[in-house]
């Protein structure tokens, strides 16, 4: 990154003095000054891919027990790596060089280039891979000769998988950083982000429908550590923008009678006011809207009523089964007692008949 800045300073020095080397053609001299601005997004993209692989490797090496813990720590590593890689150049220009014209140019270059490359890669990449795999499937299975149509299952199986939403959240995090961290220096970043989001919505829909396998739904409680990451980024943005206002001398233009110490105190006070407003809004607006809470309460009430009714029915059925079992047992017991009574009567009759036979034998 620093090498790109050194190269940029060298190119700007050559352009100011018009001291171009002899091997540079004349028609290319007007484009030479834009070379560092093209190299910077390329360098950031290469380092992004490298840092992503390092973060995944470190997270796998740490071997977490639970999946949610694994994902939270992976998010933390990705955010730290991407934050440093994406915003280090801007912080260097804003607070070390204090060249705000260069800050605007660099921010616009990084933001617009990342948006164009990202949208083209998200839309065209999975779609082209899917079409190529389907074409190879047709050739290997002999569909063109047999005129057989490939089923949707076969087509879906050849498409790339949608593994997780990490890349989408990370893209939104980086874009939010470009918009709010240096909004005091380049307010137009919000306009570019708005236009990009309009294209991003339709691009992601096209990618999910045509370029990727149908993803499986995962029930989660919230977005996890991403919520904390966005809140921390908003706090950093307030501090950075108030510092930029103080560095650019805008407070002195607003209040010419202020001394340097009074300007610093004003910037600190303004920062605390904005932080207080941020936390007040955060507490005033609930994470779950009131109508959603009411609908959830109604659903819980209906579910509890249904469970109570089901439990009462099961209790009644269980009691009925117990009564039927006891009735059957009583019936069997009565039948047994009745059978024993009949046996006693037969035995008594046999005894009577035997006694009569003995008496007749004696008389004879």
């Amino acid at each position: 990154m620093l090498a790109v800045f050194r190269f940029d300073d060298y190119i700007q020095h050559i352009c100011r003095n018009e001291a171009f080397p002899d091997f540079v053609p004349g028609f290319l001299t007007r484009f030479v000054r834009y070379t560092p601005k093209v190299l910077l997004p390329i360098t950031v993209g290469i380092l992004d891919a490298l840092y992503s692989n390092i973060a995944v490797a470190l997270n796998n090496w740490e071997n977490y027990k639970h999946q949610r813990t694994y994902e939270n720590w992976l998010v933390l590593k990705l955010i730290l790596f991407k934050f440093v890689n994406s915003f280090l150049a801007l912080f260097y220009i804003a607070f070390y060089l204090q060249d705000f014209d260069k800050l605007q140019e660099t921010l616009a270059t990084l933001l617009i280039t990342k948006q164009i490359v990202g949208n083209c890669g998200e839309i065209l990449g999975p779609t082209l891979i899917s079409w190529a795999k389907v074409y190879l499937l047709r050739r290997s299975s002999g569909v063109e000769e047999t005129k057989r149509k490939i089923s949707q299952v076969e087509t879906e199986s050849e498409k790339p998988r949608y593994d997780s939403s990490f890349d989408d959240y990370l893209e939104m995090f980086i874009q939010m950083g470009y918009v709010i961290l240096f909004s005091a220096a380049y307010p137009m970043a919000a306009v570019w982000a708005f236009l990009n989001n309009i294209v991003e919505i339709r691009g992601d829909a096209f990618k999910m429908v045509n370029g990727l396998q149908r993803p499986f739904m995962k029930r989660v409680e919230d977005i996890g550590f991403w919520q904390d990451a966005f809140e921390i980024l908003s706090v950093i943005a307030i501090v950075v923008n108030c510092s930029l206002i103080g560095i650019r001398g805008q407070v002195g233009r607003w209040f010419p009678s202020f001394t340097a110490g009074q300007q610093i105190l004003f910037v600190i006070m303004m920062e605390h006011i904005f932080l207080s407003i941020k936390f007040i809004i955060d507490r005033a607006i609930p994470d779950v809207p009131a109508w959603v809470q009411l609908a959830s309460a109604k659903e819980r009430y209906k579910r509890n009523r249904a469970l109570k009714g089901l439990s009462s029915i099961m209790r009644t059925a269980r009691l009925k089964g117990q009564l039927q079992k006891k009735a059957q047992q009583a019936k069997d017991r009565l039948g047994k007692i009745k059978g024993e009574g009949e046996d006693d009567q037969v035995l008594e009759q046999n005894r009577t008949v035997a006694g009569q036979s003995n008496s007749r034998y004696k008389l004879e």
Side-chain angles (χ1 to χ4, degrees):
M1 198 78 67
L2 295 177
V4 174
F5 288 137
R6 295 294 183 183
F7 181 68
D8 188 17
D9 294 337
Y10 174 71
I11 293 297
Q12 297 303 325
H13 174 73
I14 291 178
C15 292
R16 283 193 300 267
N17 300 325
E18 295 184 355
F20 295 99
D22 297 334
F23 60 86
V24 178
F27 67 93
L28 290 180
T29 55
R30 68 182 65 182
F31 301 106
V32 170
R33 66 185 303 267
Y34 298 105
T35 305
K37 295 178 176 59
V38 175
L39 288 177
L40 183 60
I42 295 175
T43 305
V44 171
I46 295 173
L47 293 177
D48 271 345
L50 177 63
Y51 289 149
S52 297
N53 294 330
I54 292 174
V56 173
L58 289 175
N59 223 51
N60 292 334
W61 179 65
E62 290 169 357
N63 192 20
Y64 293 102
K65 183 177 181 180
H66 301 288
Q67 180 66 22
R68 187 173 181 83
T69 307
Y70 174 88
E71 293 177 355
N72 288 336
W73 282 102
L74 180 59
V75 169
L76 178 60
K77 292 181 180 64
L78 288 174
I79 287 175
L80 291 177
F81 283 132
K82 296 298 181 70
F83 185 89
V84 173
N85 185 47
S86 300
F87 305 124
L88 177 62
L90 301 176
F91 278 103
Y92 176 79
I93 297 172
F95 293 100
Y96 184 76
L97 300 179
Q98 296 185 7
D99 188 349
F100 295 100
D101 293 333
K102 187 174 182 179
L103 177 62
Q104 291 180 357
E105 293 179 359
T106 306
L107 179 57
T109 303
L110 287 174
L111 178 62
I112 297 173
T113 305
K114 197 173 187 65
Q115 289 174 350
I116 295 175
V117 174
N119 287 328
C120 292
E122 286 185 356
I123 297 174
L124 297 179
T127 304
L128 293 177
I129 293 174
S130 174
W131 288 348
K133 288 187 175 181
V134 172
Y135 174 75
L136 294 176
L137 178 63
R138 289 176 178 273
R139 293 290 301 273
S140 62
S141 58
V143 173
E144 297 178 355
E145 290 77 4
T146 60
K147 304 300 181 182
R148 181 179 66 86
K149 293 184 178 181
I150 296 180
S151 64
Q152 183 181 359
V153 176
E154 293 175 309
T155 305
E156 290 275 346
S157 65
E158 295 299 324
K159 294 180 179 180
R161 288 187 178 182
Y162 182 75
D163 294 327
S164 65
S165 58
F166 280 169
D167 293 336
D168 296 327
Y169 276 117
L170 194 59
E171 182 182 358
M172 293 296 102
F173 178 83
I174 298 301
Q175 178 184 269
M176 181 178 175
Y178 284 137
V179 172
I180 68 175
L181 282 177
F182 303 95
S183 58
Y186 187 62
M188 279 295 294
V191 177
W192 294 117
F194 174 73
L195 297 176
N196 172 74
N197 290 339
I198 295 176
V199 178
E200 183 83 16
I201 292 172
R202 304 315 308 166
D204 286 345
F206 181 83
K207 176 186 70 173
M208 298 292 290
V209 173
N210 299 297
L212 298 173
Q213 293 183 8
R214 185 179 302 173
F216 292 97
M217 182 187 69
K218 295 181 180 179
R219 298 181 64 89
V220 294
E221 183 180 359
D222 49 29
I223 63 175
F225 191 77
W226 289 109
Q227 179 70 28
D228 300 329
F230 285 114
E231 292 182 359
I232 294 172
L233 184 63
S234 63
V235 174
I236 296 175
I238 294 175
V239 177
V240 171
N241 282 286
C242 291
S243 302
L244 290 177
I245 291 174
I247 292 173
R248 297 184 70 178
Q250 292 181 348
V251 179
R253 291 192 292 270
W254 295 340
F255 306 99
S257 60
F258 278 11
T259 63
Q262 290 175 337
Q263 292 180 15
I264 294 174
L265 291 176
F266 181 82
V267 170
I268 295 174
M269 181 181 67
M270 180 174 58
E271 172 198 337
H272 282 67
I273 291 173
F274 284 133
L275 287 175
S276 301
I277 294 173
K278 186 263 179 189
F279 286 115
I280 290 173
I281 294 175
D282 187 22
R283 294 295 180 270
I285 300 177
D287 295 334
V288 181
W291 65 272
V292 176
Q293 295 179 359
L294 181 60
S296 299
K298 289 181 179 179
E299 290 295 329
R300 285 196 300 270
Y301 176 75
K302 292 179 181 179
R303 185 170 60 250
N304 293 333
R305 288 290 302 271
L307 290 175
K308 288 182 179 178
L310 181 61
S311 61
S312 62
I313 292 173
M314 294 178 64
R315 192 182 304 111
T316 303
R318 187 165 54 251
L319 181 61
K320 183 178 179 181
Q322 292 177 357
L323 292 176
Q324 290 178 350
K325 184 177 180 180
K326 290 182 179 179
Q328 185 65 33
Q329 291 176 356
K331 185 177 179 181
D332 294 341
R333 193 178 297 110
L334 288 175
K336 186 177 180 180
I337 293 172
K338 184 177 179 181
E340 292 177 353
E342 291 177 353
D343 293 341
D344 293 340
Q345 291 178 0
V346 171
L347 181 61
E348 187 65 28
Q349 291 177 359
N350 292 335
R351 288 179 178 175
T352 304
V353 172
Q356 292 176 358
S357 300
N358 292 332
S359 300
R360 190 180 301 114
Y361 177 76
K362 290 178 180 180
L363 289 174
E364 291 177 355

